[in-house]
Amino acid sequence: MDRLHVLADELTTRARRIEALGDELVTHAAQALWTSVAADAFREQVQRRRLDIRHIAGRLDDAAAQLRQLAQLAAERRHLLVNLAGAPGADVVHRFIHQVW
């Protein structure tokens, strides 16, 4: 379960880095000394790519959130199994827990 949180954190970190790279791209395009109709079209294209990049970062954030939810669900299920350990058939539950986790 901890590994799921680590992976989710990594996805979130990468999403922020991707967004930063998109922002840097726009900044560099805006700072370019090139002026013309083609330059304006290029800058507009860069702006559109930045939106694409933000969408990708959002997908990574969504995946990270789903991983965190999965980790939470797994923790709840594990807690439930541990609580059942005192019930009849606890030895079966105990073996199952150690096989899975």
Side-chain angles (χ1 to χ4, degrees):
M1 290 173 281
D2 288 338
R3 289 182 290 194
L4 292 176
H5 285 290
V6 169
L7 182 55
D9 291 344
E10 179 66 26
L11 289 175
T12 299
T13 298
R14 289 179 186 237
R16 296 298 75 74
R17 182 65 184 134
I18 288 169
E19 286 177 337
L21 289 171
D23 292 344
E24 287 176 33
L25 181 62
V26 169
T27 298
H28 290 302
Q31 291 173 346
L33 299 178
W34 179 30
T35 57
S36 68
V37 173
D40 293 340
F42 170 74
R43 288 184 182 96
E44 288 175 17
Q45 180 68 16
V46 169
Q47 288 285 357
R48 285 191 296 276
R49 291 294 171 246
R50 177 202 242 173
L51 294 177
D52 294 341
I53 289 168
R54 286 186 177 165
H55 177 74
I56 291 166
R59 302 277 311 263
L60 288 173
D61 286 332
D62 292 343
Q66 290 177 8
L67 282 174
R68 289 185 180 98
Q69 288 175 349
L70 179 61
Q72 179 63 34
L73 180 62
E76 291 169 3
R77 296 299 185 254
R78 185 172 193 271
H79 180 71
L80 178 63
L81 289 173
V82 168
N83 286 337
L84 289 174
D91 57 328
V92 174
V93 173
H94 182 72
R95 283 195 306 272
F96 175 76
I97 290 171
H98 288 289
Q99 287 174 354
V100 174
W101 288 284

